[in-house]
PDB file of all heavy atoms in Angstrom:
ATOM      1  N   MET F  92      38.893 -25.818  12.934  1.00  0.00           N
ATOM      2  CA  MET F  92      40.327 -25.538  12.970  1.00  0.00           C
ATOM      3  C   MET F  92      41.114 -26.857  13.141  1.00  0.00           C
ATOM      4  O   MET F  92      40.635 -27.773  13.842  1.00  0.00           O
ATOM      5  CB  MET F  92      40.641 -24.589  14.118  1.00  0.00           C
ATOM      6  CG  MET F  92      42.104 -24.109  14.093  1.00  0.00           C
ATOM      7  SD  MET F  92      42.562 -23.201  15.605  1.00  0.00           S
ATOM      8  CE  MET F  92      41.717 -21.691  15.366  1.00  0.00           C
ATOM      9  N   VAL F  94      44.584 -28.317  14.641  1.00  0.00           N
ATOM     10  CA  VAL F  94      45.735 -27.989  15.599  1.00  0.00           C
ATOM     11  C   VAL F  94      46.749 -29.144  15.401  1.00  0.00           C
ATOM     12  O   VAL F  94      46.415 -30.270  15.717  1.00  0.00           O
ATOM     13  CB  VAL F  94      45.244 -27.903  17.037  1.00  0.00           C
ATOM     14  CG1 VAL F  94      46.445 -27.587  17.926  1.00  0.00           C
ATOM     15  CG2 VAL F  94      44.156 -26.865  17.140  1.00  0.00           C
ATOM     16  N   ALA F 113      46.559 -24.289  13.177  1.00  0.00           N
ATOM     17  CA  ALA F 113      47.486 -23.860  14.241  1.00  0.00           C
ATOM     18  C   ALA F 113      48.620 -24.883  14.261  1.00  0.00           C
ATOM     19  O   ALA F 113      48.352 -26.113  14.216  1.00  0.00           O
ATOM     20  CB  ALA F 113      46.804 -23.833  15.590  1.00  0.00           C
ATOM     21  N   ILE F 134      50.434 -30.520  23.022  1.00  0.00           N
ATOM     22  CA  ILE F 134      49.420 -30.199  22.006  1.00  0.00           C
ATOM     23  C   ILE F 134      48.164 -29.594  22.649  1.00  0.00           C
ATOM     24  O   ILE F 134      47.470 -28.797  22.046  1.00  0.00           O
ATOM     25  CB  ILE F 134      49.082 -31.424  21.132  1.00  0.00           C
ATOM     26  CG1 ILE F 134      48.564 -31.017  19.750  1.00  0.00           C
ATOM     27  CG2 ILE F 134      48.091 -32.346  21.796  1.00  0.00           C
ATOM     28  CD1 ILE F 134      49.592 -30.521  18.787  1.00  0.00           C
ATOM     29  N   LEU F 135      47.918 -29.936  23.914  1.00  0.00           N
ATOM     30  CA  LEU F 135      46.789 -29.317  24.600  1.00  0.00           C
ATOM     31  C   LEU F 135      47.033 -27.832  24.852  1.00  0.00           C
ATOM     32  O   LEU F 135      46.061 -27.025  24.789  1.00  0.00           O
ATOM     33  CB  LEU F 135      46.475 -30.033  25.924  1.00  0.00           C
ATOM     34  CG  LEU F 135      45.783 -31.419  25.798  1.00  0.00           C
ATOM     35  CD1 LEU F 135      45.514 -31.979  27.183  1.00  0.00           C
ATOM     36  CD2 LEU F 135      44.473 -31.323  24.989  1.00  0.00           C
ATOM     37  N   GLY F 136      48.259 -27.476  25.138  1.00  0.00           N
ATOM     38  CA  GLY F 136      48.621 -26.030  25.273  1.00  0.00           C
ATOM     39  C   GLY F 136      48.318 -25.336  23.986  1.00  0.00           C
ATOM     40  O   GLY F 136      47.758 -24.198  24.000  1.00  0.00           O
ATOM     41  N   ALA F 137      48.650 -25.943  22.880  1.00  0.00           N
ATOM     42  CA  ALA F 137      48.389 -25.339  21.558  1.00  0.00           C
ATOM     43  C   ALA F 137      46.917 -25.226  21.279  1.00  0.00           C
ATOM     44  O   ALA F 137      46.415 -24.195  20.776  1.00  0.00           O
ATOM     45  CB  ALA F 137      49.043 -26.154  20.460  1.00  0.00           C
ATOM     46  N   PHE F 138      46.172 -26.261  21.719  1.00  0.00           N
ATOM     47  CA  PHE F 138      44.718 -26.240  21.513  1.00  0.00           C
ATOM     48  C   PHE F 138      44.056 -25.061  22.273  1.00  0.00           C
ATOM     49  O   PHE F 138      43.216 -24.373  21.743  1.00  0.00           O
ATOM     50  CB  PHE F 138      44.129 -27.600  21.974  1.00  0.00           C
ATOM     51  CG  PHE F 138      42.617 -27.649  21.821  1.00  0.00           C
ATOM     52  CD1 PHE F 138      42.053 -28.001  20.606  1.00  0.00           C
ATOM     53  CD2 PHE F 138      41.775 -27.369  22.870  1.00  0.00           C
ATOM     54  CE1 PHE F 138      40.661 -28.048  20.445  1.00  0.00           C
ATOM     55  CE2 PHE F 138      40.405 -27.388  22.729  1.00  0.00           C
ATOM     56  CZ  PHE F 138      39.854 -27.747  21.530  1.00  0.00           C
ATOM     57  N   CYS F 139      44.500 -24.869  23.525  1.00  0.00           N
ATOM     58  CA  CYS F 139      43.951 -23.775  24.332  1.00  0.00           C
ATOM     59  C   CYS F 139      44.202 -22.441  23.656  1.00  0.00           C
ATOM     60  O   CYS F 139      43.314 -21.595  23.521  1.00  0.00           O
ATOM     61  CB  CYS F 139      44.666 -23.699  25.663  1.00  0.00           C
ATOM     62  SG  CYS F 139      44.227 -24.945  26.785  1.00  0.00           S
ATOM     63  N   LYS F 140      45.464 -22.245  23.255  1.00  0.00           N
ATOM     64  CA  LYS F 140      45.869 -20.981  22.664  1.00  0.00           C
ATOM     65  C   LYS F 140      45.081 -20.701  21.376  1.00  0.00           C
ATOM     66  O   LYS F 140      44.557 -19.644  21.151  1.00  0.00           O
ATOM     67  CB  LYS F 140      47.325 -21.010  22.395  1.00  0.00           C
ATOM     68  CG  LYS F 140      47.934 -19.786  21.686  1.00  0.00           C
ATOM     69  CD  LYS F 140      47.956 -18.591  22.596  1.00  0.00           C
ATOM     70  CE  LYS F 140      48.755 -17.430  22.019  1.00  0.00           C
ATOM     71  NZ  LYS F 140      50.169 -17.662  22.046  1.00  0.00           N
ATOM     72  N   ALA F 141      44.995 -21.725  20.492  1.00  0.00           N
ATOM     73  CA  ALA F 141      44.453 -21.511  19.180  1.00  0.00           C
ATOM     74  C   ALA F 141      42.949 -21.382  19.181  1.00  0.00           C
ATOM     75  O   ALA F 141      42.388 -20.623  18.402  1.00  0.00           O
ATOM     76  CB  ALA F 141      44.896 -22.716  18.280  1.00  0.00           C
ATOM     77  N   THR F 142      42.285 -22.173  19.975  1.00  0.00           N
ATOM     78  CA  THR F 142      40.817 -22.249  19.893  1.00  0.00           C
ATOM     79  C   THR F 142      40.133 -21.437  20.974  1.00  0.00           C
ATOM     80  O   THR F 142      38.994 -20.981  20.752  1.00  0.00           O
ATOM     81  CB  THR F 142      40.326 -23.699  20.013  1.00  0.00           C
ATOM     82  OG1 THR F 142      40.588 -24.130  21.381  1.00  0.00           O
ATOM     83  CG2 THR F 142      41.018 -24.615  19.056  1.00  0.00           C
ATOM     84  N   GLY F 143      40.761 -21.287  22.132  1.00  0.00           N
ATOM     85  CA  GLY F 143      40.087 -20.621  23.225  1.00  0.00           C
ATOM     86  C   GLY F 143      38.906 -21.423  23.768  1.00  0.00           C
ATOM     87  O   GLY F 143      38.094 -20.919  24.557  1.00  0.00           O
ATOM     88  N   ALA F 144      38.761 -22.711  23.342  1.00  0.00           N
ATOM     89  CA  ALA F 144      37.598 -23.502  23.720  1.00  0.00           C
ATOM     90  C   ALA F 144      37.654 -23.869  25.176  1.00  0.00           C
ATOM     91  O   ALA F 144      36.575 -24.071  25.827  1.00  0.00           O
ATOM     92  CB  ALA F 144      37.536 -24.763  22.862  1.00  0.00           C
ATOM     93  N   VAL F 145      38.814 -24.020  25.744  1.00  0.00           N
ATOM     94  CA  VAL F 145      38.969 -24.153  27.193  1.00  0.00           C
ATOM     95  C   VAL F 145      40.097 -23.274  27.653  1.00  0.00           C
ATOM     96  O   VAL F 145      40.960 -22.849  26.866  1.00  0.00           O
ATOM     97  CB  VAL F 145      39.296 -25.647  27.633  1.00  0.00           C
ATOM     98  CG1 VAL F 145      38.156 -26.580  27.478  1.00  0.00           C
ATOM     99  CG2 VAL F 145      40.536 -26.137  26.859  1.00  0.00           C
ATOM    100  N   LYS F 146      40.132 -22.963  28.965  1.00  0.00           N
ATOM    101  CA  LYS F 146      41.108 -22.035  29.463  1.00  0.00           C
ATOM    102  C   LYS F 146      42.393 -22.813  29.791  1.00  0.00           C
ATOM    103  O   LYS F 146      42.375 -23.966  30.182  1.00  0.00           O
ATOM    104  CB  LYS F 146      40.647 -21.346  30.730  1.00  0.00           C
ATOM    105  CG  LYS F 146      39.393 -20.472  30.571  1.00  0.00           C
ATOM    106  CD  LYS F 146      39.193 -19.662  31.846  1.00  0.00           C
ATOM    107  CE  LYS F 146      37.934 -18.830  31.792  1.00  0.00           C
ATOM    108  NZ  LYS F 146      36.717 -19.625  32.093  1.00  0.00           N
ATOM    109  N   LEU F 147      43.527 -22.099  29.668  1.00  0.00           N
ATOM    110  CA  LEU F 147      44.827 -22.655  30.012  1.00  0.00           C
ATOM    111  C   LEU F 147      44.820 -23.164  31.468  1.00  0.00           C
ATOM    112  O   LEU F 147      45.336 -24.269  31.730  1.00  0.00           O
ATOM    113  CB  LEU F 147      45.893 -21.559  29.823  1.00  0.00           C
ATOM    114  CG  LEU F 147      47.310 -21.975  30.151  1.00  0.00           C
ATOM    115  CD1 LEU F 147      47.842 -23.067  29.215  1.00  0.00           C
ATOM    116  CD2 LEU F 147      48.294 -20.757  30.073  1.00  0.00           C
ATOM    117  N   VAL F 170      52.680 -27.805  28.588  1.00  0.00           N
ATOM    118  CA  VAL F 170      51.460 -27.032  28.226  1.00  0.00           C
ATOM    119  C   VAL F 170      51.748 -25.597  28.019  1.00  0.00           C
ATOM    120  O   VAL F 170      51.369 -24.983  26.992  1.00  0.00           O
ATOM    121  CB  VAL F 170      50.341 -27.239  29.324  1.00  0.00           C
ATOM    122  CG1 VAL F 170      49.151 -26.366  29.022  1.00  0.00           C
ATOM    123  CG2 VAL F 170      49.876 -28.716  29.393  1.00  0.00           C
ATOM    124  N   GLU F 172      54.674 -23.996  27.533  1.00  0.00           N
ATOM    125  CA  GLU F 172      55.576 -23.723  26.445  1.00  0.00           C
ATOM    126  C   GLU F 172      54.849 -23.736  25.123  1.00  0.00           C
ATOM    127  O   GLU F 172      55.030 -22.893  24.264  1.00  0.00           O
ATOM    128  CB  GLU F 172      56.758 -24.723  26.433  1.00  0.00           C
ATOM    129  CG  GLU F 172      57.808 -24.516  27.488  1.00  0.00           C
ATOM    130  CD  GLU F 172      58.652 -23.287  27.237  1.00  0.00           C
ATOM    131  OE1 GLU F 172      58.853 -22.905  26.067  1.00  0.00           O
ATOM    132  OE2 GLU F 172      59.033 -22.665  28.234  1.00  0.00           O
ATOM    133  N   ALA F 173      54.006 -24.778  24.957  1.00  0.00           N
ATOM    134  CA  ALA F 173      53.295 -24.879  23.701  1.00  0.00           C
ATOM    135  C   ALA F 173      52.306 -23.750  23.529  1.00  0.00           C
ATOM    136  O   ALA F 173      52.102 -23.223  22.410  1.00  0.00           O
ATOM    137  CB  ALA F 173      52.551 -26.235  23.662  1.00  0.00           C
ATOM    138  N   TYR F 174      51.686 -23.351  24.617  1.00  0.00           N
ATOM    139  CA  TYR F 174      50.755 -22.204  24.541  1.00  0.00           C
ATOM    140  C   TYR F 174      51.471 -20.999  23.991  1.00  0.00           C
ATOM    141  O   TYR F 174      50.948 -20.255  23.134  1.00  0.00           O
ATOM    142  CB  TYR F 174      50.205 -21.943  25.952  1.00  0.00           C
ATOM    143  CG  TYR F 174      49.092 -20.908  26.061  1.00  0.00           C
ATOM    144  CD1 TYR F 174      47.757 -21.280  25.948  1.00  0.00           C
ATOM    145  CD2 TYR F 174      49.412 -19.559  26.209  1.00  0.00           C
ATOM    146  CE1 TYR F 174      46.752 -20.325  26.045  1.00  0.00           C
ATOM    147  CE2 TYR F 174      48.441 -18.605  26.338  1.00  0.00           C
ATOM    148  CZ  TYR F 174      47.098 -18.999  26.228  1.00  0.00           C
ATOM    149  OH  TYR F 174      46.109 -18.055  26.291  1.00  0.00           O
ATOM    150  N   ASP F 175      52.669 -20.767  24.466  1.00  0.00           N
ATOM    151  CA  ASP F 175      53.448 -19.579  24.042  1.00  0.00           C
ATOM    152  C   ASP F 175      53.969 -19.659  22.641  1.00  0.00           C
ATOM    153  O   ASP F 175      54.139 -18.655  21.962  1.00  0.00           O
ATOM    154  CB  ASP F 175      54.635 -19.371  24.986  1.00  0.00           C
ATOM    155  CG  ASP F 175      54.245 -18.874  26.347  1.00  0.00           C
ATOM    156  OD1 ASP F 175      53.070 -18.383  26.466  1.00  0.00           O
ATOM    157  OD2 ASP F 175      55.000 -19.058  27.324  1.00  0.00           O
ATOM    158  N   ARG F 176      54.179 -20.910  22.142  1.00  0.00           N
ATOM    159  CA  ARG F 176      54.839 -21.041  20.835  1.00  0.00           C
ATOM    160  C   ARG F 176      53.864 -21.365  19.689  1.00  0.00           C
ATOM    161  O   ARG F 176      54.325 -21.626  18.591  1.00  0.00           O
ATOM    162  CB  ARG F 176      55.890 -22.150  20.916  1.00  0.00           C
ATOM    163  CG  ARG F 176      57.036 -21.900  21.946  1.00  0.00           C
ATOM    164  CD  ARG F 176      58.101 -22.902  21.675  1.00  0.00           C
ATOM    165  NE  ARG F 176      58.850 -23.193  22.897  1.00  0.00           N
ATOM    166  CZ  ARG F 176      59.777 -24.167  22.991  1.00  0.00           C
ATOM    167  NH1 ARG F 176      60.033 -24.924  21.978  1.00  0.00           N
ATOM    168  NH2 ARG F 176      60.394 -24.380  24.147  1.00  0.00           N
ATOM    169  N   THR F 177      52.590 -21.329  19.937  1.00  0.00           N
ATOM    170  CA  THR F 177      51.622 -21.731  18.913  1.00  0.00           C
ATOM    171  C   THR F 177      51.386 -20.592  17.894  1.00  0.00           C
ATOM    172  O   THR F 177      51.275 -19.419  18.286  1.00  0.00           O
ATOM    173  CB  THR F 177      50.283 -22.071  19.574  1.00  0.00           C
ATOM    174  OG1 THR F 177      50.550 -23.188  20.430  1.00  0.00           O
ATOM    175  CG2 THR F 177      49.240 -22.473  18.529  1.00  0.00           C
ATOM    176  N   GLU F 178      51.364 -20.971  16.639  1.00  0.00           N
ATOM    177  CA  GLU F 178      51.044 -19.978  15.551  1.00  0.00           C
ATOM    178  C   GLU F 178      49.747 -20.381  14.864  1.00  0.00           C
ATOM    179  O   GLU F 178      49.566 -21.617  14.664  1.00  0.00           O
ATOM    180  CB  GLU F 178      52.173 -19.988  14.520  1.00  0.00           C
ATOM    181  CG  GLU F 178      53.492 -19.382  14.993  1.00  0.00           C
ATOM    182  CD  GLU F 178      54.496 -19.369  13.814  1.00  0.00           C
ATOM    183  OE1 GLU F 178      54.189 -18.758  12.782  1.00  0.00           O
ATOM    184  OE2 GLU F 178      55.523 -20.003  13.977  1.00  0.00           O
ATOM    185  N   VAL F 179      48.993 -19.398  14.434  1.00  0.00           N
ATOM    186  CA  VAL F 179      47.740 -19.724  13.733  1.00  0.00           C
ATOM    187  C   VAL F 179      47.762 -19.000  12.378  1.00  0.00           C
ATOM    188  O   VAL F 179      48.193 -17.862  12.251  1.00  0.00           O
ATOM    189  CB  VAL F 179      46.505 -19.242  14.526  1.00  0.00           C
ATOM    190  CG1 VAL F 179      45.225 -19.532  13.769  1.00  0.00           C
ATOM    191  CG2 VAL F 179      46.489 -19.916  15.906  1.00  0.00           C
TER     192      VAL F 179
END
Side-chain angles (χ1 to χ4, degrees):
M92 187 190 289
V94 179
I134 204 74
L135 284 182
F138 179 84
C139 288
K140 175 73 170 284
T142 69
V145 289
K146 296 189 184 84
L147 179 64
V170 171
E172 284 292 328
Y174 187 91
D175 288 342
R176 297 191 210 172
T177 299
E178 291 182 58
V179 179

